[in-house]
Amino acid sequence: MTLSRYLDIREMARAVGASSVIEQVMEQQRAEREQFLRPLASTAADDLYRMLGGAAAVESIIEQERLKRDHAFDSYRQLVGQSAFDLQTNHALGSLASAVEAARLGGAFELPDLLEQYRVTDMSLAAQLADAHRLSWWEDGCAEVLNAHSALSTMFDRIDVLGRDAWSAIDSVLSDPWLELHTVRQARELLGISGLLRAPRFRILTRKEKRRHIRVLIKDNAMPAPVRKAQGLVHRNEKVLRTLIAQCMEAAYGEDWAKERLPLCGCKKLLGRPLEGDESVLDHADYKHYELIMCHDEHFEAVFAVAYEDVDALRQMIGRLGQLRARSHHGRTFTAEDYRELATLWRAMEAGFESLVDDVVIEP
């Protein structure tokens, strides 16, 4: 991937039509000279002499025209030189871009998956390689390193926060050794061409900007409708579930059921929780405790089998309710489909609630 050092500018000019541009400039200069000489041919010399104000004025005008002519020729030469330079550059970059594309398709310019979205275009990399070829120490083996660091530079231009993916991309690039680089100067020159050798962009946020940022975060994370409905549904049904568990266990095992039965089903830690106001021991329970209490062999046979036929199905239903409750109450992703599943499971639990209520009550 070496740039051609000898390019025939005249042939390239003819190939892309640059000669027509040069001819247009020459024709414009000829027309300007004729426009200036036309009054001299149509007016008598003595009349023109008197009109212009004497020899000094005529010499001044001639000098001004000479300067204009020289300036025109300088502009012409600059245009010709610039055209030749542009032709040479475009021809070289076009050839180099084609070589870059072939190398990339051939797997020579591979990038980590995290950096693929920041890959520079073939023409941009070709321009960077053209600058790199001017370095006395440059070797084609450094091209892959330049490609990776150029992609890293593009990533820094497009992101505002260095997240986990960005750090992984940085680590993947920096972990490759620069075997072709032997001095700090060479490293600085390569980093400069890739765009990484630059001062960091940062500024200190004001308190007003921080407050605005927090307000935007709060607005963007407002409670979705499925979460709002799920929290109301869970609150109502969980309170009912606790009440029915306490009533049924008390009816089966007496007022001290908690002290006697919770240690047997693995819920002894609930007894050590401090209670406030009218709280009960089950106010500190979670879905795992509901499962242990209701699906305990003795408890299920004596109390809850009347409402639910299969203890394994009950265990799975309570476990899934706990998972959905965690998703809706702890700021995790909770969709409308999750809400429909949650509502279906609670309806199944409610169907069993009816059998847990006594058939007969004593009226006062």
Side-chain angles (χ1 to χ4, degrees):
M1 220 177 302
T2 305
L3 293 178
S4 177
R5 298 182 180 274
Y6 303 101
L7 297 171
D8 192 334
I9 302 306
R10 292 171 299 176
E11 295 214 356
M12 285 190 293
R14 285 195 296 271
V16 298
S19 58
S20 61
V21 177
I22 297 173
E23 290 173 356
Q24 292 176 6
V25 175
M26 295 177 65
E27 178 63 24
Q28 182 180 359
Q29 295 299 325
R30 186 185 62 78
E32 291 179 355
R33 288 196 300 272
E34 288 182 357
Q35 184 179 2
F36 172 71
L37 294 175
R38 190 175 296 113
L40 298 179
S42 61
T43 307
D46 53 349
D47 293 339
L48 180 63
Y49 180 82
R50 289 190 298 272
M51 180 181 67
L52 294 177
V58 173
E59 291 176 356
S60 176
I61 293 175
I62 293 174
E63 178 65 19
Q64 292 178 8
E65 290 303 319
R66 186 185 64 80
L67 294 175
K68 289 182 180 179
R69 181 196 63 190
D70 293 342
H71 178 71
F73 276 117
D74 290 340
S75 300
Y76 169 74
R77 295 189 190 97
Q78 183 178 3
L79 177 61
V80 173
Q82 185 65 36
S83 299
F85 175 78
D86 290 342
L87 289 171
Q88 182 181 10
T89 302
N90 290 335
H91 178 80
L93 285 182
S95 301
L96 189 55
S98 299
V100 168
E101 182 182 11
R104 174 174 56 81
L105 295 177
F109 288 154
E110 294 183 352
L111 285 174
D113 293 339
L114 296 171
L115 278 181
E116 185 61 42
Q117 59 182 316
Y118 303 112
R119 179 189 291 274
V120 298
T121 63
D122 293 342
M123 184 60 75
S124 297
L125 182 59
Q128 292 176 342
L129 288 172
D131 291 336
H133 272 277
R134 298 189 181 97
L135 302 175
S136 59
W137 55 268
W138 177 259
E139 297 179 7
D140 288 343
C142 296
E144 187 172 2
V145 176
L146 177 61
N147 179 55
H149 284 74
S150 298
L152 196 61
S153 177
T154 303
M155 184 189 74
F156 289 148
D157 291 334
R158 295 183 185 176
I159 64 175
D160 297 323
V161 179
L162 285 177
R164 181 176 300 175
D165 291 344
W167 280 113
S168 299
I170 294 172
D171 182 67
S172 65
V173 173
L174 298 184
S175 60
D176 293 334
W178 295 0
L179 300 179
E180 294 82 0
L181 302 181
H182 305 289
T183 65
V184 174
R185 179 182 63 83
Q186 293 176 358
R188 287 178 61 86
E189 289 174 341
L190 187 140
L191 290 175
I193 293 174
S194 67
L196 282 177
L197 193 64
R198 55 187 172 179
R201 298 178 292 109
F202 66 90
R203 64 184 180 86
I204 305 300
L205 294 178
T206 63
R207 293 179 63 88
K208 184 176 181 180
E209 288 177 316
K210 292 181 179 180
R211 288 194 296 268
R212 187 186 308 119
H213 179 64
I214 295 299
R215 287 197 296 269
V216 171
L217 288 177
I218 293 175
K219 181 179 179 181
D220 292 342
N221 291 279
M223 184 181 297
V227 173
R228 185 170 57 253
K229 292 191 292 184
Q231 290 187 357
L233 178 66
V234 169
H235 178 80
R236 295 189 299 271
N237 285 278
E238 192 171 349
K239 294 285 285 186
V240 172
L241 179 61
R242 291 173 181 173
T243 300
L244 291 177
I245 290 176
Q247 291 178 352
C248 293
M249 292 293 289
E250 182 177 349
Y253 299 104
E255 294 183 356
D256 293 332
W257 72 268
K259 294 180 180 179
E260 295 178 3
R261 305 305 305 182
L262 290 181
L264 299 178
C265 61
C267 299
K268 183 178 180 180
K269 290 184 179 180
L270 290 177
L271 298 174
R273 303 288 179 85
L275 303 179
E276 297 180 2
D278 58 350
E279 287 184 341
S280 68
V281 66
L282 291 181
D283 287 330
H284 293 276
D286 57 25
Y287 285 77
K288 187 61 179 177
H289 295 119
Y290 306 149
E291 175 190 333
L292 291 173
I293 295 172
M294 298 180 69
C295 297
H296 183 264
D297 291 340
E298 293 185 23
H299 298 169
F300 183 79
E301 291 295 332
V303 180
F304 302 105
V306 67
Y308 305 99
E309 296 179 359
D310 190 342
V311 65
D312 292 329
L314 177 62
R315 183 180 291 107
Q316 293 178 2
M317 185 162 53
I318 295 175
R320 183 56 180 164
L321 282 171
Q323 293 174 354
L324 292 172
R325 191 265 187 195
R327 295 175 68 89
S328 64
H329 282 61
H330 295 288
R332 297 168 60 187
T333 301
F334 190 84
T335 64
E337 290 76 11
D338 293 329
Y339 174 75
R340 284 193 287 269
E341 182 184 2
L342 179 70
T344 300
L345 291 174
W346 273 119
R347 282 196 295 271
M349 289 292 293
E350 290 175 9
F353 289 171
E354 298 177 3
S355 299
L356 295 178
V357 176
D358 290 337
D359 296 330
V360 178
V361 296
I362 300 176
E363 296 182 350

